[in-house]
Amino acid sequence: MGGIATAVVKTTLAIFGGNAQGFVSVTIGLLILMVVLLLVNVTGNKVFAFFNNLATIGKLAALITTIIVGFIVVMMTGHSHFNDINQLVDVSQLNTSTFVMAVIAAFYAFVGFESVASGAEDMKAPEKNLPRAIPLAILIIAVIYISIIAVIMMINPTAVLTSKHVVSLVTVFESPIISNIILYGALISMVGISIAGSFSTPRILEAIANENQVPAWFKQRTKYDFPFNAFITTFLVALIIPMAFQYNMVSIIVLSSISRFIQFIVVPIGVMMFYYNRSREEVLPNVYKNKFTDVILPIIALILTVMLLVKFDWKGQFSIVTPHHIEPNYFAITAMVIGYVVLPLLLFIANQKRRHV
């Protein structure tokens, strides 16, 4: 939530001539954005659904327009720059760490699917619609992203690699009309993702509270049926973490993806425990089980996830590069330790005490 919110603020500032790199300006922008998201959520699910659907239509229209125009340009000119990438990238510098970074960055395109079900309580017929919607959405996103990358590689890969623009795809096309469609489409897309995140993320904390793993204060709702306490908590986290990485988008994206990888260590284990009837909680009866999807695929996913985490450049990610030397980013290291060690340990201890009361 904090990563994409930072991107929204930086893009907005860049479009309207603000200081997109200023610490104070980005912080103020984040505060304003969080207040707007709060108002959208507080007014109820109908208002939320309207803005979320509007943002989805806007971003898909921009992406599809870019893909269609790109392929038309290639067909009309009959020239492709696809092979130019061989001269632009020094393949001798490629190693396992750079490959892992590339995979993690690509994985960011699919961030959010792991928390879709957290808002099932507020959805219509989630038991029927979610199993259909999730794989269909993943397929659509994969097709769109692969098509966008193909268009970039064929038209102007140099522009993307050398661009300093907040939305690098803008520099691919020379037409100002197409560039503006991409720019504002990207902004609409990020706003839509922020709206969706503001809906699902607080409900994850609320779901944990419903399981009595955190204080019941987090599951309290307003008269508009909105989890206000959970929203405020996630808002503070979404503000503090980007600040810890000095609003550096590359670092925030990588951190966000890593957090999902850590989650995906737990998920395959949970699926296998479900298959072998080792679940501690009550599960639905007569559920169809498949050894390939419930055991073999989770084992492969677990192995690949561990490999990516082992090969990741942890030292480089949690360091600050200055003109004279490299120093540890203690703020970011502290945030990671608190988020992934201290808080889970405290919640585990508190949960164990509740069970023995």
Side-chain angles (χ1 to χ4, degrees), residues 116-158:
V116 170
S118 62
E121 182 181 353
D122 299 290
M123 298 178 186
K124 292 182 179 179
E127 69 281 355
K128 180 176 67 175
N129 293 328
L130 273 179
R132 299 174 180 175
I134 293 175
L136 179 61
I138 291 176
L139 177 62
I140 293 173
I141 288 174
V143 171
I144 290 175
Y145 271 87
I146 292 172
S147 300
I148 284 286
I149 292 172
V151 166
I152 293 172
M153 297 286 285
M154 288 188 291
I155 295 179
N156 193 353
T158 306

Side-chain angles (χ1 to χ4, degrees), residues 126-334:
E127 69 281 355
K128 180 176 67 175
N129 293 328
L130 273 179
R132 299 174 180 175
I134 293 175
L136 179 61
I138 291 176
L139 177 62
I140 293 173
I141 288 174
V143 171
I144 290 175
Y145 271 87
I146 292 172
S147 300
I148 284 286
I149 292 172
V151 166
I152 293 172
M153 297 286 285
M154 288 188 291
I155 295 179
N156 193 353
T158 306
V160 173
L161 291 177
T162 58
S163 174
K164 300 297 182 181
H165 198 282
V166 66
V167 181
S168 57
L169 185 58
V170 169
T171 58
V172 173
F173 295 91
E174 296 180 359
S175 170
I177 297 176
I178 301 300
S179 296
N180 284 330
I181 290 175
I182 295 171
L183 181 61
Y184 290 105
L187 179 59
I188 293 172
S189 172
M190 289 182 285
V191 170
I193 298 172
S194 296
I195 293 174
S198 70
F199 175 83
S200 61
T201 308
R203 284 163 176 78
I204 296 175
L205 184 57
E206 183 188 23
I208 297 173
N210 288 332
E211 294 294 326
N212 297 318
Q213 296 179 4
V214 295
W217 181 81
F218 292 107
K219 64 180 180 181
Q220 294 177 5
R221 291 198 169 203
T222 65
K223 63 179 181 179
Y224 297 104
D225 200 29
F226 173 64
F228 179 81
N229 296 342
F231 181 91
I232 292 300
T233 304
T234 53
F235 155 73
L236 292 174
V237 174
L239 179 65
I240 292 172
I241 291 180
M243 288 178 63
F245 288 89
Q246 302 176 340
Y247 299 123
N248 182 288
M249 283 307 303
V250 174
S251 298
I252 294 171
I253 287 173
V254 170
L255 176 65
S256 178
S257 298
I258 290 172
S259 68
R260 269 66 180 192
F261 275 116
I262 293 174
Q263 293 173 23
F264 291 157
I265 291 178
V266 179
V267 171
I269 295 174
V271 172
M272 288 186 285
M273 290 179 63
F274 169 76
Y275 180 84
Y276 289 108
N277 298 316
R278 298 294 181 86
S279 303
R280 293 183 179 181
E281 304 294 335
E282 184 180 351
V283 297
L284 294 173
N286 303 321
V287 177
Y288 175 76
K289 297 180 179 180
N290 183 284
K291 192 165 187 177
F292 178 73
T293 58
D294 299 345
V295 178
I296 297 176
L297 284 182
I299 289 175
I300 295 173
L302 187 62
I303 293 172
L304 292 176
T305 302
V306 172
M307 288 176 58
L308 288 171
L309 289 173
V310 169
K311 294 296 183 178
F312 179 69
D313 183 14
W314 295 97
K315 181 179 179 181
Q317 185 61 34
F318 290 91
S319 301
I320 299 176
V321 180
T322 64
H324 304 290
H325 62 286
I326 299 175
E327 59 185 32
N329 186 344
Y330 293 108
F331 196 179
I333 294 172
T334 303

